[in-house]
Every structure is written in structure tokens, then in C-alpha cells.
Amino acid sequence: MAGIRAGLVGVGPVGDRIYCCLKEREIPLAEPLRVMATRERREILAGEKVLVREISPELFEDLDVVFFAGREGAKGASVQWGSTAIEAGAYVIDNGGDYRLEPDVPLVVPEVNMDTVTADTRFITSPNCSTTQMCVALAPLHRTARIKRIVVSTYQAASGWGAAGQEQLQAQLGQLAQGQTVEFDPCIFCRPLALDCIPHIDAFLDNLYTKEEMKMVYETQKIFEAPDMGITATAVRVPVEIGHSESINVEFADDMDAATATEILQDCKQSPSVVVIDGPTSDPNYGTVRAKVDLNREPWADHRYIDERAYPSQADILREQYKDQVLVGRVRDDVTRPNTINFWCVADNLRKGAATNVVQIAEEMLKRGLIPT
Ligand SMILES: NC(=O)c1ccc[n+]([C@@H]2O[C@H](COP(=O)([O-])OP(=O)(O)OC[C@H]3O[C@@H](n4cnc5c(N)ncnc54)[C@H](OP(=O)(O)O)[C@@H]3O)[C@@H](O)[C@H]2O)c1
């Protein structure tokens, strides 16, 4: 296959992971990725020193695809430069939230609704990170038993705010360790995040939900093409650097229970990108052994000493084999309602929640001949 000419706008943590994914997933590139941001400099991306150019119309010339990973809003990258990229002939795949709910713009999770991208599509959006992982896990269950209602609470990492969010948490943890007063910038997190959980992500709306919570509602309804699907969300920022977790309670219109859901989610044909980590330990000495756990070791090697059952947590998503997966555990029946289950769901917000998703979209478009090479 001849290579494509690709551009990347934005070199925050999402841009860095897009650079990484493009290398790892071997999308054929006809020329080095054209990397742009607000100003020219050299930047380390995926361990390589890369020339970042100041964004300008000429840089979009001859590009086949542009990945946007800039900030959102009127001064953001895709609002300012999206149409320039399209006019120059490129397909745009955008991580930001500015166009996700536009009726003519596909909002895509490749495992769920790739068919919404057609030969006429030029601008494609990728959902909010918490929506993406939830939809990957719920889609196979929805196909089987139709979802009626979702109640979700999120536990979202600092990096969801971008590079500045991650840096702010690191600085605060350092200040705490040294017994110093914790400083915070309320434009990033509205109070100190270190050793606290903040039930406030993005602005409050008139209905007293936050924008982040309503994004999960509207984006999920759009992806599942189910405007009547009942969804209620509580989004919480937690002092974790990378990785979002979600506690999901889901009620189905048709028959469903935890055992059936587990079987479906364990089937990689029905549930691509999902890994179920859920089961009893065989250790008879559970709870009696105190162990030192090396988090860099293979997963689960130490877990028999500390867990009664296996389940995924945010630390697991940083392990190489899970970085592009959605991990599911704690699958159980909701004892208060029929056809209703609870489960726990974890993913890397920067990779499957953003970078991996957009690169998978491009890969799939190439496979389907939607991007000519
Ligand atoms: N972080 C996540 O978990 C996550 C998940 C899903 C989606 N997203 C979305 O992905 C996007 C990137 O996220 P991030 O966390 O990497 O953000 P970030 O750390 O704030 O980085 C933003 C990057 O975009 C560049 N940029 C901003 N405005 C620009 C403009 N007008 N023209 C050109 N470049 C511009 C910045 O350039 P300079 O470096 O020159 O300032 C910076 O490199 C955002 O839209 C975010 O909403 C993020």
C-alpha cells in the first residue's frame, strides 16, 4: 500500500500518544508526519526529538489526513484550522469537542459505529475519553439486549485536563511530600487535587450537571443512535495521573444478567478491545499475607497475595499489554432490578480515550478505501 501524508496539530499528551500510535501501528506514511502547534520548536514526542512547526495554511498542502489534538473553543485548533485542512484536501479526525454533536459530523468509536463514515465524509470526530471507553464496553451488550438506562460515575485522571493538569497534580504531590502548602491554579482544577476527589469537571450547567457529564449523555446517545436512551452521569476528578475508571450500572430492555454479560465481553469477536479481569483467587491464604508489590512486574503476579478477586485498576492500564484496551471487572447483577448489571471499566484516557481511537479511525478508513492512497 502506498503511504499517506499525515499531519498532527497539537503536541500535548494526546498529540504525543498519536505520534506514538502512528509509529506502533505502522500506518504507512509517505513522508514524515507534519507536526504543528502554536509556535515553532523542537519537542520530544514518543522519545524522539521532533521539529514542531508553527501552524500555517501552507503546512496543510498535499496532506491526506490531519489529526487534530489541539485545545477546544474559539481559539482552539480545529475551530481555527479545521476548514483550512479540508479546503487543502485533507480528511480531518478531531479529538476535541467542538463539532462532536453536529448532526452531519460522524462521532466515531471504530468498534461501534465505523459505518457512519462514508465516502462523502471529510470531518470525523472522536468522543470524549470517558464516553469512548464506556461505549466500547457497552456496545456488545447493547447489540444483544438493548440498553434502557445507564447510571455512570467516573473517576478521571488529571491528564484529562491536558499536560497542565498532569503537571499540576505532580507539583501538588511534591509539595505535600515536602510538607509545603499546596498551590493550585483554579483555571485547571478548582481546588487542590492531591489527596482529594473533585466532583466537578468542566463548567456547571443550568440543570446542575457539569458539561463533562452532559457530554457523556449526548455523545453516547449519538454513538448508539438512541436519543431516548436514559443516561445519568457524575464525573469526578481523582488524583491519578493517567487512566479513567468508571462505575457503570446498566439496565437492559431485554434479558441480561452478569454471567451472560461476562461471556459476551470475554468473546473478542463480539467485544473487540475489551479485556475482562474478574475472577476468584485460588489463594487459600488470602488476607493473611502482607506482601511488597512491585507495580512494574507482570500483572497479577503479586495479586494473589492482596486481592480476594481479580479486578482492573488505573495502574493496570499503564501496562504494555493493556494500553489500548478497555478493562472490565466487578461484573455483577444489580440485586435491586431485573436485567440490570453493575461493572467497573478502566482505560487509558490518552490512548484508547483519544489517540488510539483516532488512529484506529484512520486505519479503518484506509482499509475501507475511504482515504485514497
Ligand atoms: N487529555 C485527554 O485525556 C483527552 C481525551 C480525549 C480528548 N482530548 C482532547 O484532545 C485535545 C488535546 O488534548 P491534550 O490533553 O493533549 O491538550 P493540551 O495538553 O492542552 O495540548 C494542546 C496542544 O494543542 C496546541 N494548540 C492549542 N491551540 C492551538 C491552535 N489554535 N493552533 C495550533 N495548535 C494549538 C497546543 O500548542 P502549544 O504546545 O504550542 O501551546 C498544544 O500542543 C483536546 O481537544 C482535548 O479536549 C483530550
Side-chain angles (χ1 to χ4, degrees), residues 158-159 162-185 188-189 191-195 239-241:
S159 58
Q166 201 172 341
E167 283 156 18
Q168 179 132 141
L169 175 63
Q170 284 163 352
Q172 290 175 359
L173 290 171
Q175 287 157 357
L176 272 178
Q178 289 174 24
Q180 296 168 350
T181 309
V182 172
E183 290 168 13
F184 73 104
D185 173 356
I188 299 177
F189 305 127
R191 50 173 91 179
L193 180 61
L195 302 189
V240 164
E241 280 195 56

Side-chain angles (χ1 to χ4, degrees), residues 277 294-303 316 319 321-322:
I277 297 170
D294 176 357
L295 288 177
N296 295 317
R297 278 184 56 181
E298 277 295 290
W300 322 123
D302 293 312
H303 279 239
D316 296 311
R319 301 181 198 280
Q321 67 267 48
Y322 296 140

Side-chain angles (χ1 to χ4, degrees), residues 9-16 36-41 43 52 55 68-72 74-78 80-81 94-98 100 126-130 132 157-164 215 244 348-351 353-355:
V9 178
V11 291
V14 174
D16 173 79
M36 309 165 221
T38 60
R39 58 193 166 76
E40 180 154 333
R41 76 267 195 178
E43 190 89 43
V52 179
I55 195 163
F68 274 82
R71 287 218 76 83
E72 297 169 349
K75 290 192 178 160
S78 54
Q80 292 202 320
W81 296 97
D94 185 17
N95 267 292
D98 299 295
R100 287 180 190 144
S126 178
N128 181 33
C129 35
S130 2
T132 303
S159 58
W161 205 95
K215 272 185 207 171
H244 290 356
D348 183 331
N349 52 300
L350 301 174
R351 288 193 61 113

Side-chain angles (χ1 to χ4, degrees), residues 7 30 32 38 46-47 52 85 146 154-156 161 199 209 213 330 342-343:
T38 60
V52 179
R146 284 186 305 128
T154 69
Y155 303 69
Q156 297 182 221
W161 205 95
Y209 283 79
E213 290 161 353
R330 304 283 330 272
N342 289 298
F343 66 93

Side-chain angles (χ1 to χ4, degrees), residues 115-138:
D115 291 344
T116 54
V117 180
T118 67
D120 298 327
T121 308
R122 307 298 299 189
F123 194 106
I124 299 119
T125 53
S126 178
N128 181 33
C129 35
S130 2
T131 307
T132 303
Q133 69 183 76
M134 183 169 84
C135 288
V136 169
L138 286 178

